[in-house]
Amino acid sequence: MSNGDVSDVATTDRRRALPDPDASYEAKDITVLEGLDPVRKRPGMFIGSTSASGLHHLVWEVVDNSVDEAMQGHCTRIDVTILKDGACRVQDNGRGIPVDPYPSDPSKSAAEVVLTVLHAGGKFGGSGYKVSGGLHGVGVSVVNALSSRLELGIDRGGLHHEMVFVDGGRPTGPLVATGPAPKGRTGTTVTFWPDPTIFEETDFRAQTILERLQMMAFLQRGLEIAFRDERPGHEHSESFRYTGGIEDFVRHLNETKEALFRKVAYFEQSEDDQEAELALQWNTSYYESIHSFANGIATVEGGMHEEGLKKALTNVVNRYAKARNLVKESEPNLAGEDIREGLTAIVSVRLRDPQFEGQTKAKLGNVSMRSLVERTTNEKLAEWLEENPREANQIVQKALLAQRARAAARHARDLTRRKSALDGAGLPGKLVDCSSRNARESEIFIVEGNSAAASARDARDPRIQAILPIRGKILNVEKARVDKMLKNAEIQALIMAIGAGVADDFDVDKIRYHKVIILADADVDGSHIRTLLLTFFLRQMKPMVDAGHVYAAQPPLYSTLVGNSKVYLKDEAARTAFLDEHPNHKQEFQRLKGLGEMDFAELRDTTMDAGKRSLLQITMEEASIADQVCSVLMGDDVEVRRRFIQTNAKDVRFLDI
Ligand code: 0RA
């Protein structure tokens, strides 16, 4: 991952802040809704879960508030630090949370109200904030409610103020001015210790935080976000600042691929209270990767802004191609998907009332955004193509190739279909199917290697567990066009076993198993196979991944004896935790061999039995990151890949946090 300032020539000041005519904040703007109790009773309602993902939500929440300040043009730098003792500190140089008495209860400061009252903060119905993240914008009070301790520091009006909360938001005293603020400084510092009685684990993961901070730095052009890990053994610091904003984001995503041309097309337009920014660059791959954001929040389900881009892009490129006679008047138009082959694009919009819809509330519903993005693309991309004829021609030529490949793929797909019809049930020969025909309860284990598949076959519950052995490393779908991919025997077996089609024909409602479980060794080879399969699913059966049907089995790394019974431990962390809990444990730890060498009972008890195993559900919360990881692992750049595998080989966790 690159860092630092990848500034391209930026001649104009493109600060992202929207003008805010009457920003003067009064304490009375803060809308009081309710107390913090509900947060501790039902944390999941506020931060999704109490697992690692929920834990990191606390960080996002605090950082989002600081980014909001930056969006308003009041903050240029954010420092995120993991302290030696595991606490997280977020410091910004914004205006500082207001410190004046709170009008309806003047015994309290506004800051105290912001930290102790749910939904306070002026974001909800106040005039203080114009745009702010809707998804994570639950308020810093939620962080306070879920922390065993929180220290607040505010520099404002020339004074430094402090206040401390314990046990989920109980003030230890009022906000006090302790002295002068450092010269000229304004800003907020929040340090919090996540409550270990609430969270399953309280260890922050630096990589997760870094990825997110980098994404935020891309989306907020010019904002500096610095990260420091001070935990012993984890010391690390890294800082992000991109003067090119999403233009740099697109370059970064294409870094691991081969760009079709050097330029990035960049457009922005604002009107009324809303604005849209777009950056596009094509690469030589066969996949489109459009990442969209609303108010700095990833809209992984797309929405109106993406629709607007796609529609206008298809129109503009077709108009250009016909005008230049690159496509004859009599020939059919280029399809949108052909034009988007190899496209990397970022769409980032900001608006006052984002409507987040869809299954995971990650789809932008505001219709006005479709027309803004569509108009912007129609006008400005058309101009860009005129000004950059060489690049425009490359885009059209690539689309023409894609159009031909798609026709060939259709042909190959028809063959696959016909073949399945001939096979009777249409199931691949080596599938060991389960007897249940109820997809909801059925699982399929995709197992690499014959001996592992044989153990899995004996270990399974034949009623609901099916086994599909696959041979060696499946074809790398990142590097093959659809038509070639569909001729590969392993890929065909996968498609037929899952039974729901592929690519555009894929229908998630037809999948034959609601759990598709990848079973591979915990070593580097296993990790590679897992990634190959995930890449395939992500590229060709994405709705199945989105709906949470894909899992990785986690065969344990260690076992040890407690009395007469064997205990399995999934990784080094589990072993350490076990030793913490059993300080007198004297037995040796066995390091388990690969799947192939486990006997069936061992495999059943550790990895397959639903009552005992631990499965990793694979979700794509940060699709732009997953996408990049896929390209790194599957791409042509051997050097980048080697470095990546060295640092991340044991780690498929980017997938679940
Ligand atoms: C409420 C009102 C104002 C700013 C903030 C909250 C604020 C909150 C956080 C949380 C982390 N950093 C923050 N910075 C600011 C508006 C203040 C004004 O108008 O002066």
Side-chain angles (χ1 to χ4, degrees):
M1 173 171 297
S2 81
N3 63 323
D5 190 345
V6 249
S7 66
D8 225 59
V9 210
T11 44
T12 50
D13 179 7
R14 290 162 167 172
R15 208 177 52 184
R16 296 296 71 230
L18 289 174
D20 199 351
D22 60 341
S24 89
Y25 170 86
E26 301 278 317
K28 65 174 164 34
D29 285 349
I30 296 165
T31 350
V32 180
L33 297 181
E34 42 189 323
L36 289 183
D37 230 34
V39 185
R40 288 184 69 82
K41 287 217 180 83
R42 312 188 65 186
M45 295 264 295
F46 297 86
I47 52 164
S49 77
T50 53
S51 63
S53 146
L55 175 75
H56 288 87
H57 254 97
L58 301 185
V59 185
W60 315 153
E61 188 48 50
V62 185
V63 175
D64 278 357
N65 280 283
S66 298
V67 171
D68 274 352
E69 281 289 283
M71 242 186 245
Q72 311 294 305
H74 301 294
C75 165
T76 57
R77 183 183 167 112
I78 302 171
D79 283 272
V80 179
T81 311
I82 315 282
L83 304 186
K84 277 201 172 68
D85 67 357
C88 174
R89 169 171 296 161
V90 180
Q91 180 168 64
D92 66 50
N93 64 353
R95 290 167 294 181
I97 305 180
V99 295
D100 47 339
Y102 186 65
S104 70
D105 183 355
S107 68
K108 289 180 180 167
S109 61
E112 176 172 346
V113 176
V114 168
L115 268 289
T116 55
V117 179
L118 209 48
H119 284 177
K123 293 184 181 184
F124 297 80
S127 62
Y129 273 80
K130 205 161 191 183
V131 288
S132 82
L135 199 62
H136 308 291
V138 286
V140 261
S141 59
V142 167
V143 179
N144 200 11
L146 300 175
S147 296
S148 55
R149 179 181 179 85
L150 185 147
E151 296 175 0
L152 174 67
I154 298 172
D155 292 311
R156 194 175 158 103
L159 293 174
H160 179 75
H161 309 73
E162 285 180 1
M163 183 165 184
V164 176
F165 304 86
V166 292
D167 303 335
R170 222 160 32 80
T172 57
L175 182 78
V176 286
T178 57
K183 197 172 165 3
R185 186 187 134 77
T186 62
T188 307
T189 309
V190 173
T191 311
F192 64 95
W193 287 256
D195 191 334
T197 66
I198 298 232
F199 291 97
E200 290 158 33
E201 50 179 309
T202 52
D203 292 333
F204 293 111
R205 187 170 171 269
Q207 191 60 28
T208 303
I209 296 177
L210 276 167
E211 283 166 0
R212 176 77 169 219
L213 296 182
Q214 185 179 30
M215 186 190 89
M216 296 178 119
F218 277 126
L219 292 174
Q220 192 62 44
R221 187 201 337 256
L223 173 64
E224 173 153 23
I225 307 185
F227 173 80
R228 206 165 55 179
D229 195 341
E230 296 181 345
R231 290 173 296 185
H234 293 262
E235 291 90 351
H236 177 82
S237 68
E238 199 165 338
S239 159
F240 305 109
R241 178 170 171 272
Y242 300 103
T243 50
I246 62 169
E247 221 177 300
D248 289 342
F249 200 168
V250 164
R251 280 191 208 286
H252 172 75
L253 290 170
N254 271 345
E255 219 164 64
T256 53
K257 303 173 179 143
E258 193 187 331
L260 200 58
F261 41 76
R262 217 188 54 81
K263 288 178 186 158
V264 174
Y266 173 85
F267 321 112
E268 62 182 328
Q269 184 151 316
S270 56
E271 76 179 13
D272 307 330
D273 289 11
Q274 50 186 31
E275 61 172 51
E277 259 192 296
L278 299 122
L280 298 83
Q281 188 186 43
W282 276 259
N283 60 57
T284 56
S285 83
Y286 310 121
Y287 294 97
E288 71 178 70
S289 92
I290 299 179
H291 301 289
S292 62
F293 301 85
N295 293 355
I297 291 160
T299 37
V300 288
E301 294 180 77
M304 292 298 164
H305 47 352
E306 270 191 36
E307 274 184 31
L309 167 65
K310 288 183 184 170
K311 187 157 170 238
L313 180 62
T314 307
N315 280 334
V316 171
V317 174
N318 270 301
R319 234 186 298 134
Y320 180 87
K322 294 232 154 144
R324 297 283 157 125
N325 213 25
L326 300 168
V327 174
K328 301 217 168 44
E329 215 36 73
S330 58
E331 288 170 345
N333 271 351
L334 295 164
E337 59 186 300
D338 295 333
I339 294 168
R340 296 193 300 273
E341 188 189 271
L343 170 67
T344 299
I346 303 286
V347 190
S348 172
V349 302
R350 303 198 193 277
L351 67 171
R352 192 195 275 278
D353 276 313
Q355 305 295 316
F356 292 105
E357 303 171 345
Q359 277 195 339
T360 57
K361 295 265 171 275
K363 182 173 181 179
L364 185 69
N366 303 63
V367 181
S368 66
M369 268 305 158
R370 185 173 53 204
S371 67
L372 178 62
V373 175
E374 195 178 328
R375 245 179 308 119
T376 308
T377 311
N378 266 325
E379 293 166 20
K380 307 214 166 168
L381 180 63
E383 259 171 51
W384 192 90
L385 294 177
E386 293 297 337
E387 285 163 13
N388 298 281
R390 205 175 72 89
E391 285 77 7
N393 188 49
Q394 283 175 288
I395 295 169
V396 174
Q397 295 309 329
K398 174 143 171 91
L400 283 166
L401 279 178
Q403 188 178 48
R404 262 171 249 148
R406 200 157 48 88
R410 206 178 308 123
H411 185 68
R413 210 144 49 204
D414 287 348
L415 285 180
T416 315
R417 271 206 215 102
R418 208 157 328 126
K419 197 157 149 203
S420 42
L422 288 177
D423 285 354
L427 292 174
K430 50 192 182 160
L431 173 73
V432 183
D433 208 2
C434 55
S435 58
S436 168
R437 284 288 159 266
N438 177 0
R440 277 176 193 291
E441 60 174 1
S442 300
E443 308 179 341
I444 182 167
F445 285 81
I446 302 167
V447 189
E448 200 261 331
N450 284 337
S451 60
S455 306
R457 184 185 187 136
D458 294 335
R460 75 192 180 121
D461 172 350
R463 198 178 70 76
I464 56 165
Q465 294 184 320
I467 309 292
L468 180 70
I470 53 165
R471 212 160 19 89
K473 299 193 172 163
I474 63 161
L475 183 75
N476 184 345
V477 297
E478 191 81 3
K479 285 200 273 185
R481 234 181 191 128
V482 192
D483 49 332
K484 182 161 162 226
M485 186 189 80
L486 290 172
K487 288 187 189 135
N488 177 281
E490 304 299 306
I491 298 277
Q492 284 188 359
L494 261 175
I495 297 170
M496 286 190 228
I498 290 170
V502 66
D504 300 339
D505 289 347
F506 185 77
D507 179 357
V508 68
D509 295 332
K510 295 210 176 102
I511 56 173
R512 301 178 59 247
Y513 314 92
H514 274 212
K515 287 201 173 77
V516 174
I517 304 168
I518 303 170
L519 178 54
D521 279 327
D523 59 9
V524 176
D525 273 354
S527 157
H528 191 204
I529 290 158
R530 218 175 356 253
T531 312
L532 282 164
L533 284 164
L534 289 176
T535 306
F536 173 71
F537 291 143
L538 194 63
R539 297 303 193 195
Q540 301 298 336
M541 300 184 175
K542 187 154 184 300
M544 183 168 81
V545 181
D546 290 342
H549 294 302
V550 180
Y551 297 80
Q554 304 190 92
L557 268 188
Y558 298 102
S559 70
T560 190
L561 284 173
V562 176
N564 283 332
S565 60
K566 217 177 208 175
V567 173
Y568 295 96
L569 300 162
K570 102 174 171 224
D571 53 17
E572 193 55 46
R575 193 174 80 119
T576 314
F578 177 85
L579 279 173
D580 283 348
E581 272 171 41
H582 305 85
N584 297 322
H585 187 73
K586 290 282 172 312
Q587 291 287 335
E588 302 239 323
F589 288 88
Q590 242 64 58
R591 199 183 152 96
L592 295 173
K593 288 158 282 178
L595 288 171
E597 288 150 75
M598 275 193 200
D599 68 32
F600 81 91
E602 215 162 26
L603 187 62
R604 181 189 58 211
D605 292 348
T606 61
T607 312
M608 293 181 66
D609 181 341
K612 298 180 186 158
R613 70 190 178 193
S614 108
L615 288 183
L616 193 64
Q617 187 176 36
I618 286 153
T619 62
M620 289 293 160
E621 223 185 304
E622 299 302 355
S624 65
I625 292 161
D627 182 54
Q628 211 221 348
V629 170
C630 273
S631 308
V632 170
L633 285 174
M634 302 296 104
D636 287 313
D637 193 330
V638 179
E639 178 52 23
V640 176
R641 184 168 63 220
R642 192 182 58 75
R643 253 186 293 133
F644 191 91
I645 292 179
Q646 276 173 355
T647 44
N648 295 285
K650 296 188 298 290
D651 209 349
V652 279
R653 292 224 298 164
F654 66 85
L655 302 159
D656 81 322
I657 289 188

